[in-house]
Structures are given as structure tokens and as C-alpha cells.
Amino acid sequence: MNFAVVSRGDEISEAKKKQAIEHLQDHGYTYHEESPDTVIAIGGDGTVLQAFHTYKQRLEKTAFIAYNTGHLGFYSDWDTVESLLEAVVDNSLIMVEYPLVEAVMEEEGVSKTYLALNDVTIKGVKGSVQIDVHLNQYHFESFKGDGLCISSPSGSTGYNKSLGGAIVHPSLEMIQLSEMASINNRVYRTIGSSLVIPKHHELTLVPKADAYMVSVDHESFQPDTICRMKCSVAKQRIRFLRSRSFPFWNRVKEAFISLNDCEPRGTR
Ligand code: NAP
């Protein structure tokens, strides 16, 4: 098996990276940054996003493992790097697949496709932004406010959660549209709730501003004129190798409610 390790770059993560490489090489695995079968992300969720974007061209051939070194680490489910490495060598990990967001940005005659593990956002550069929202080609609402966030199920605990969106189990194939501070008055009106959009539906956003910012996970950019952005559940999925004993709702509880009475990670 070929593997690679992506580290956040701090001292602890670098030490765990070295430990992981040595351990797996001792057990006959090959370190191969260009074409790994398994990628271990050591750091926080930001490191998982970085690993995903480094290897998003080969999602069908690559599985990811997240190991947290001190940040929130929502994607992670291991207490010690030793238990993780043992599980890799014993082949006792389970593979789960999570849906992704696909955003196709169309300029005149040209379209660019982006994949997000967590979310895609569109915001104004100077103040609020106006965006027409279409569902399956029908105009649904004209949004005016700070911006819109389109999240995947596993990204629903990120930006989407801060916007009051629902936390979604990643076995559900959907994307979620959440508003950022919509203006609601006699002139502008939006639904006000987050919308859960299934796999077979398509969301199209038509921004009315001349300039706006787009983010895809941790990266932001100011595109040239975009006529429209079509968002849907991507055909591709991300594969994680996870511990058997740390289900999604435990992770939600541990990250957002309490660490105290949670079952220890990766112990069963
Ligand atoms: P960051 O601004 O450095 O950190 C964002 C925080 O969100 C970190 O604590 C990160 O965990 C955590 N996080 C990332 N993905 C998560 C997920 N799926 N579930 C729960 N928490 C998650 O940015 P970053 O680390 O590069 O991550 C980019 C992400 O930040 C975006 O995709 C967006 O979801 C989120 N974000 C949130 C807000 C907000 O809530 N107001 C604003 C902008 C962006 P770690 O500490 O383990 O890295």
C-alpha cells in the first residue's frame, strides 16, 4: 500500500508525521506522495481540507484518515497515533463515504468546476450582495444580505452551523443552503430557513453584484464575472477510514457539547 501524510506543520504534527511514516514503512508500506492509496491528515480539520484539496483528483483511488493534534478535529476519531497506526496495520478500519458539494461556475461560454468537502460560499465584497436563487430552473427567491453558504453533510458542522443550519448525518446525500444575515423587509424577502436540497435537484445562484468573493472550503478568491453558479451533490465522494467505535453523533457531542461523558475514541 502506498501512503502519504499531510501535516499542519507545527512541531507536534511533524513529530506524529515522522512517527507514522517510520511505523508504516517498518510494516512494509511505501511512502508515495504522488499516488497514495491512503492519506493521513495530521493536524485539525483545516489539515483534512488541505489533504482533500491536494488529492481531490484521485478520490476514487485514495482514502483519508484524520488524526487531530490539538484543534477541534471534527473529522478525527483517534485518541493516539499508536492506536491509529495499529488499526491501519491490522486492517481493522471501516471505510465510509461522504458526499461532497459540486459548484460549477459559469462565465460567458466557460465553466469551471469546484469540489468542496465542507462548503462553498458567495459573499459581497463591499457590503451586502444580491443573489437570485433558482431551484431546478425555477426562480425561488431574490436574496439580499451578507451571502449564502452551500454545505455538504460533513461540512454542516462548520460555517453552516454558525449560520443556524441543521447538522446533517453524512449518510444523507444532500446539500444545504444557508443564509448569511438576509435582509427581510417590504422590499426584500427570503424564506429565512436553511434549505436541504436532495441529490437529484439543482440549485442555481445568479449573483447580481459586479464583485463578490467565493470560498471553496478554506480558500477564497474574487472571480471575474460569473453569470451563475450551479450547486449540486457531486458525483464523486470522499472516502474516510474510520474507527469503528466513534459514530457521527458522538463526534457531534464531543465537538459541541461535552468531552466528559463521551466514550473514548478508537478503543473498541
Ligand atoms: P479556520 O477559520 O482556520 O477554522 C475554522 C474552524 O472550523 C476550525 O476550528 C476548524 O477546526 C473548524 N472546522 C472546519 N471544518 C469543520 C467541520 N466540518 N465541522 C466542524 N468544524 C469544522 O478555517 P479552516 O480550518 O481553513 O476551515 C475552513 C472552514 O471553516 C470552512 O470550510 C468553513 O466551514 C469554516 N468557517 C466557519 C466560519 C464560521 O463558523 N463563522 C467562518 C468561516 C469559515 P480545526 O480547528 O480542527 O481546524
Side-chain angles (χ1 to χ4, degrees), residues 8 43-50 68-75 116-121 123 149 151-163 180 215-219 255-256:
R8 188 171 50 210
D45 294 322
T47 319
V48 175
L49 296 175
Q50 192 192 327
N68 181 36
T69 51
H71 273 222
L72 179 70
F74 184 77
Y75 280 104
L117 172 55
N118 268 356
D119 40 42
V120 175
T121 69
K123 295 185 201 180
C149 172
S151 60
S152 69
S154 61
S156 67
T157 44
Y159 206 162
N160 170 75
K161 183 176 180 298
S162 305
L163 299 170
M180 298 175 195
S215 74
V216 179
D217 293 332
H218 55 310
E219 284 172 4
F256 299 108

Side-chain angles (χ1 to χ4, degrees), residues 114-130:
Y114 296 84
L115 269 188
L117 172 55
N118 268 356
D119 40 42
V120 175
T121 69
I122 178 161
K123 295 185 201 180
V125 173
K126 292 182 195 156
S128 62
V129 65
Q130 195 174 329

